[in-house]
Amino acid sequence: MSKKNGKHKSGQSVSGSEVADRDDLSHGQLNPPSTSLWANAAGVMAGVKPCALAGHTPSPIVPAPGLIAAKPGDVVDLARIDTRADGGLDKARVETELRTLRDRISDSQEKLYAERRRSLLIVLQAIDTGGKDGTVRAVLKGVNPQGCTVSSFKVPSAEEMDHDFLWRYHRRVPGRGMIGVFNRSHYEDVLVVRVKNLVPEEVWRARYELINDFERLLSESGTTILKFFLHISKDEQKKRLEERIADPAKHWKFDPSDLVERKSWDRYQEAFADALGRCSTPYAPWLIVPADRKWFRNYVVAKTVADTLDAMNPQFPEASKDIASLKVED
């Protein structure tokens, strides 16, 4: 790095010979050797074993009836899936049961947060107007915000573009005890990137395997992954776009670019189908949700989340035995 261009940008490395001339990095003081920074690490990390090193077994995923689980390596034909399917369920009864499912999710979330050993990641993908926001509201209503995060991924920032394509997603993965939601996700890099030809085919095609490796890492580290593809028809998208145009209260949801994206419907369907087949694995299967009927969509997603949390079976940690004998003074 020349003195002329001496400003150190985020993401760049600084060589050892340059550090000696950079008093702004240490405010005039030499930093201690990096190994000394770990001096107290043993005490801090005691009892905080990564789940994968503690014999963690991935929790079973329990899809609700009516969902279609993509088989690993299968060729998915989205055109053959009925987007208006309702599983023969009664709407009024389902909406009543949804409240019970939300209570179950809330109860499990409290235990998951208290246990602080594992986490749950919910991935939502869909075409525009597919219902990702509505699903989050309907399924996680009542969950303690302290134990839940929702991350939406738009166009990557300049900083994110300076890193590998998974960097911005990995840093938003829920930590132990948390439920995390990806509203759009790492799959954007094999979907919109592919449809818009933002990178060469050899680049996005290689990402399927990298995504599978990434999700396997999360699974083996104690994160249960639920991936939902909210599948709507082209006619349903047209209806929802027209509703947004007609209702002033929904204008904030409408983006004129949605009409441009709609012209690429077939290409998006092809990209979704490839992602579903190539990235459905035993530890992170893709679950296809017939999503034209919002009430059915909300119910099957909520039931899958509730039943999967039950299978994870989080428990409140054992309290110290002498707590019961303690007394609060007047």
Side-chain angles (χ1 to χ4, degrees):
M1 182 187 297
S2 68
K3 292 183 178 179
K4 181 178 179 181
N5 298 310
K7 290 186 177 180
H8 180 63
K9 296 182 180 179
S10 174
Q12 291 182 331
S13 62
V14 183
S15 69
S17 61
E18 291 164 345
V19 170
D21 297 326
R22 295 295 309 281
D23 59 2
D24 59 317
L25 292 179
S26 58
H27 302 287
Q29 298 179 358
L30 292 177
N31 289 325
S34 60
T35 50
S36 69
L37 301 177
W38 287 76
N40 297 319
V44 173
M45 297 176 68
V48 192
K49 282 186 177 180
C51 292
L53 300 182
H56 170 75
T57 300
S59 299
I61 292 167
V62 189
L67 295 180
I68 299 97
K71 297 179 180 178
D74 201 5
V75 177
V76 178
D77 187 353
L78 291 173
R80 296 175 63 88
I81 296 175
D82 182 8
T83 58
R84 292 191 59 78
D86 61 8
L89 299 175
D90 177 71
K91 180 179 179 181
R93 181 177 178 181
V94 160
E95 290 181 340
T96 298
E97 188 173 346
L98 180 60
R99 291 193 287 270
T100 301
L101 291 172
R102 285 198 292 250
D103 289 341
R104 286 173 54 196
I105 293 170
S106 182
D107 290 344
S108 292
Q109 181 268 334
E110 184 179 10
K111 295 176 182 177
L112 187 74
Y113 186 79
E115 181 188 67
R116 200 169 172 265
R117 289 188 58 249
R118 297 163 294 170
S119 60
L120 176 67
L121 173 61
I122 301 169
V123 174
L124 298 175
Q125 285 290 162
I127 197 121
D128 293 329
T129 75
K132 299 178 294 297
D133 293 341
T135 301
V136 174
R137 289 194 301 270
V139 173
L140 296 178
K141 182 179 180 180
V143 169
N144 189 338
Q146 187 175 1
C148 183
T149 61
V150 179
S151 302
S152 298
F153 297 98
K154 308 294 184 181
V155 177
S157 67
E159 180 187 18
E160 290 168 342
M161 290 288 287
D162 282 341
H163 294 79
D164 65 89
F165 82 98
L166 287 170
W167 181 78
R168 66 173 179 153
Y169 307 107
H170 203 164
R171 64 203 298 258
R172 299 298 298 166
V173 169
R176 291 185 182 87
M178 300 292 291
I179 294 176
V181 181
F182 280 5
N183 184 337
R184 298 186 185 271
S185 69
H186 40 295
Y187 285 93
E188 292 297 294
D189 285 273
V190 291
L191 294 172
V192 64
V193 165
R194 168 180 173 172
V195 172
K196 290 182 172 295
N197 297 313
L198 299 181
V199 298
E201 179 176 349
E202 60 267 24
V203 173
W204 60 254
R205 192 168 292 279
R207 289 175 174 172
Y208 295 125
E209 186 174 353
L210 295 172
I211 287 173
N212 289 339
D213 289 341
F214 170 59
E215 293 177 350
R216 187 177 71 252
L217 168 65
L218 299 184
S219 176
E220 292 179 357
S221 299
T223 299
T224 298
I225 306 170
L226 289 175
K227 301 188 301 191
F228 298 101
F229 173 61
L230 311 180
H231 185 32
I232 64 171
S233 66
K234 192 173 184 180
D235 287 344
E236 180 66 18
Q237 187 194 53
K238 181 175 187 293
K239 174 186 172 184
R240 295 182 184 183
L241 287 172
E242 288 174 342
E243 288 175 350
R244 292 182 180 183
I245 293 172
D247 186 353
K250 294 184 178 180
H251 283 178
W252 68 273
K253 290 184 176 182
F254 180 75
D255 187 334
S257 67
D258 291 344
L259 301 180
V260 177
E261 293 297 289
R262 181 172 162 81
K263 296 178 181 179
S264 299
W265 176 274
D266 291 338
R267 295 186 64 196
Y268 272 110
Q269 295 300 297
E270 182 182 5
F272 278 124
D274 275 356
L276 297 174
R278 294 176 183 272
C279 296
S280 193
T281 59
Y283 47 86
W286 267 110
L287 305 176
I288 303 171
V289 183
D292 278 5
R293 302 180 191 269
K294 297 178 182 179
W295 60 268
F296 179 74
R297 173 201 73 198
N298 296 338
Y299 171 76
V300 293
V301 172
K303 182 168 176 55
T304 301
V305 173
D307 289 349
T308 298
L309 281 167
D310 283 351
M312 292 173 69
N313 193 28
Q315 299 291 318
F316 289 119
E318 290 187 14
S320 175
K321 294 181 180 179
D322 60 353
I323 284 184
S325 64
L326 298 177
K327 295 182 179 180
V328 180
E329 296 183 0
D330 293 335

